[in-house]
Amino acid sequence: MDYDPRSEPHNLAHDPTTSLVVPRPIGWITTVSPAGVVNLAPYSFFNLCASHPPFVMFASNTRKHSQSYAQSGGEFVFNLATYDLRTPMNVTGGDYPEGVSEPELAQLAMAPSRLVKPPRVANSPIALECVYSQTVRLTGSNGKPHKYEVVIGEVVNVHVDDAVIVDGIIDMARIRPIARLGYRGDYTVVDNIFEMKRV
């Protein structure tokens, strides 16, 4: 099967696009509205995109509160979503009106960040405090702007729970991070880890 996603049908029961690159880490993003309301939302288009210093990015197909607040406030926090936090993470993914605080809806404890105003999810073992860098508007090969925009932030503080550090490394088996798979309700959990020496 081959098809040009710009112009040719895939002829499948469901659009396979989000099944083509998997698993995708979940960007569980905390921001603060201009009115001071804490916003928390998961993004499946998310990743680390640089190091020394680290930069992260997230994107969505509509301009959601997280993007607006990251830009207006100049800061956001990435919280690592884990298997133990899967249910509240799912609650925060709902479509809520302006002024609703998703952490309150999900009954999530929040903790102050070290260098930025948005708080982190207290029970998430890893949090990256970020300063907003830029928003990149995607443009198609036809020159037309795409509806997706990519928000990029520079990491200015890394929080790691000491309980997940074993022998000087972060133990993913203790964390059990979750990630998105292809279709709307499909997720996976990192609980089967193997090692390969680089060639």
Side-chain angles (χ1 to χ4, degrees), residues 74-158:
E75 299 172 334
F76 64 90
V77 176
F78 157 74
N79 306 274
L80 185 67
T82 66
Y83 187 77
D84 288 344
L85 292 169
R86 67 194 183 281
T87 299
M89 184 280 301
N90 193 43
V91 171
T92 64
D95 188 13
Y96 304 111
E98 184 95 14
V100 171
S101 176
E102 290 84 357
E104 290 182 13
L105 281 179
Q107 300 180 346
L108 273 169
M110 305 298 286
S113 293
R114 180 169 170 246
L115 298 179
V116 300
K117 185 176 180 181
R120 61 181 174 83
V121 175
N123 290 329
S124 176
I126 294 174
L128 306 179
E129 299 176 24
C130 302
V131 172
Y132 170 75
S133 172
Q134 62 181 302
T135 299
V136 178
R137 183 77 185 264
L138 300 179
T139 304
S141 56
N142 59 5
K144 294 181 180 178
H146 197 287
K147 62 183 177 179
Y148 279 74
E149 293 181 334
V150 180
V151 178
I152 300 172
E154 179 181 2
V155 178
V156 296
N157 189 69
V158 176

Side-chain angles (χ1 to χ4, degrees), residues 58-71:
F58 67 92
S60 70
N61 64 357
T62 56
R63 188 182 179 86
K64 295 182 178 178
H65 297 143
S66 300
Q67 178 179 344
S68 296
Y69 300 159
Q71 292 174 170

